Amino acid sequence: MPILEKILAIETSCDETAASVWIDGKGIVSNVVFSQIKLHAVYGGVVPEIASRSHLEKIGFVVESALDTAGCSLSDLTTIAVTTRPGLPGSLLVGLCCAKALAACAKKRIIGIDHIQAHIFSACIENDVPYPHLCLMASGGNTALYMVHGLDSYQVLASTLDDAAGEALDKVAKLIGLPYPGGPEVERLAAQVSYKDFFAYPRSMSGSLELSFSGLKTAVLYDAIKRGWYDIERKLFLKGDDAAIKAQIASSLLVCIAETFTQKVRQALKQYPEARAVTFVGGVACNTYLKQVLEHCAREQGVTFFAPSPQYATDNAAMVAYVAQHKAHTDQFDTLALDIAF
Ligand code: KG4
C-alpha cells in the first residue's frame, strides 16, 4: 500500500515566512504567509538581517497556523519539506533549522526544495498544465525562460543578463517616489491611464532569448532628466506630487516590459514548437495586464496559457509542498545532514 502523504512545507528564502500542508487526495489544505513587506518598506528593499530576525519571530506561529487550518498535528505528518536554495542565507537557515528540529523530534522524513523549481510548478497547483510547456518566471530576484518536460525535467533557456523584471519595477518605482514593492503600485497607476505607451522607452534589441532590464531602468532615469523631472545632483524626482506624470511613467514601463516578454515568448515558441502551453509565474505574475497580454500572445501562437492565482505567484509554501509531494511519491528524500545553498 502506498503511503498517504501529509506534508508540511516551510518557505523562508527571502521576506515571507510561509507554511503549507499538502494531503494526498485533497491537495493543498492550508497556505499561511506572513509578509515582512512593512518591515522593509522604510528601507526601500529587503534588509537581510531584519528578514532573518523576523522569520525567527514568526516561524512558530506560521507553522502552527498552517497545521491548525489543515486540521493536522505534527504526529499526523509523514514528511517535512523546506526551501533550501536559493535565497538569503540567514533567512534560509531559519526555515531549515525549524524543519530539521521538527523532523528530528517527530521522526519525520525531510525533503529540501529548490525555490525556483517551486515557482516553476506553481501554475500546476490549480491547473492541469500539459507537458512540455514553456515557463516565464518573473520575480524580484529572477527572470528566466524554462522548457519544462516534467517535475524532474526542466531546462533554463535564457535568463536575465542583469536585473530581474521585478527588480526593474521596484527600482523605477523608487526613482519616482512610489512605495516598496513597486510592482503593485506601478500596476495601480498604469491602470488609471489604460496602459498607454507615453514615452516609448527603448526595447531590448538582442536577437537571442536572453532578457535584460537594467537598461530600461536607466532609460527611464535619462528620459526624466531630459524632461527636467529629475535632479541628478540631489537624486530627487521633482514631479513626486504629479500623479498624472507618475502614472504615465508607470504605464510606459509596464508596456515596455509586456512587449519584451511577448517578444521573447513568441521567439521561444518558434524555437521550441513542441511546447503545448505557456505558464507565467513569480511575483510579477500577479500583474493582471501582463497576464492578459501574455495570454493573448500564447493564444495567437496556438497554445494555452496558465498563471497561478496571486496567493501562489508571490513567495509561498504551497508551491514548495506541491514539488515536495512529487519528490515524496518518487522516494527523493534527504537526510538530516541537509544544508542550504545560496
Ligand atoms: O516572487 P516574489 O514574491 O519574490 C521574489 O522575488 O522571490 O516577487 C516579488 C516581485 C517584486 O519585485 C514585486 O514588485 C513584484 O514581484 N510584484 C508585481 C506585482 N506584485 C508583486 N509586479 C508587477 N505587478 C504586480 N501586481
Side-chain angles (χ1 to χ4, degrees), residues 11 15-16 18 31 33 35 37 115 118-119 122 138-140 181 184 281-287 308-319:
E11 153 68 43
D15 60 341
E16 262 91 26
N31 180 35
V33 180
S35 170
I37 280 178
H115 180 77
H119 268 304
S122 59
S139 69
V281 304
V284 180
C286 289
N287 191 290
S309 55
Q311 60 170 336
Y312 300 141
T314 50
D315 285 353
N316 67 89
M319 64 184 189

Side-chain angles (χ1 to χ4, degrees), residues 173-312:
K174 192 173 178 182
L175 186 86
I176 62 174
L178 300 177
Y180 173 85
E185 201 58 16
V186 165
E187 173 165 28
R188 191 182 63 77
L189 288 176
Q192 290 172 2
V193 288
S194 309
Y195 308 104
K196 287 204 191 81
D197 190 8
F198 295 90
F199 305 126
Y201 298 131
R203 277 58 172 157
S204 158
M205 299 302 283
S206 133
S208 76
L209 282 180
E210 302 294 350
L211 296 128
S212 165
F213 293 99
S214 78
L216 175 57
K217 174 197 68 192
T218 312
V220 176
L221 173 66
Y222 284 5
D223 187 74
I225 293 170
K226 197 181 77 191
R227 291 173 197 273
W229 297 345
Y230 194 85
D231 182 337
I232 190 80
E233 268 168 26
R234 286 191 291 159
K235 290 196 167 70
L236 187 66
F237 184 65
L238 304 169
K239 295 287 176 183
D241 293 332
D242 194 329
I245 286 181
K246 291 206 284 193
Q248 289 172 6
I249 293 176
S251 186
S252 306
L253 174 71
L254 214 47
V255 172
C256 186
I257 292 175
E259 268 186 37
T260 306
F261 281 170
T262 49
Q263 189 228 322
K264 299 296 175 183
V265 164
R266 232 177 262 127
Q267 195 177 335
L269 287 173
K270 275 206 184 83
Q271 270 175 251
Y272 300 90
E274 66 273 28
R276 297 169 62 200
V278 171
T279 63
F280 178 37
V281 304
V284 180
C286 289
N287 191 290
T288 310
Y289 169 73
L290 291 174
K291 279 192 278 193
Q292 280 171 356
V293 171
L294 281 164
E295 177 158 26
H296 181 75
C297 164
R299 216 180 289 140
E300 259 184 1
Q301 304 298 308
V303 296
T304 39
F305 174 83
F306 300 92
S309 55
Q311 60 170 336
Y312 300 141

Side-chain angles (χ1 to χ4, degrees), residues 11 13-16 45-46 85-88 114-116 119 136-146 156 158-171 180-183 211-213 261 281-285 313-315 319 342:
E11 153 68 43
S13 65
C14 189
D15 60 341
E16 262 91 26
V46 177
R85 62 194 177 278
L88 300 171
D114 183 310
H115 180 77
I116 304 294
H119 268 304
L136 171 61
M137 201 203 106
S139 69
N142 259 288
T143 297
L145 274 164
Y146 298 86
V156 62
S159 51
T160 180
L161 298 169
D162 37 61
D163 288 356
E167 197 177 347
L169 282 160
D170 293 342
K171 285 180 176 169
Y180 173 85
L211 296 128
S212 165
F213 293 99
F261 281 170
V281 304
V284 180
T314 50
D315 285 353
M319 64 184 189
F342 43 91

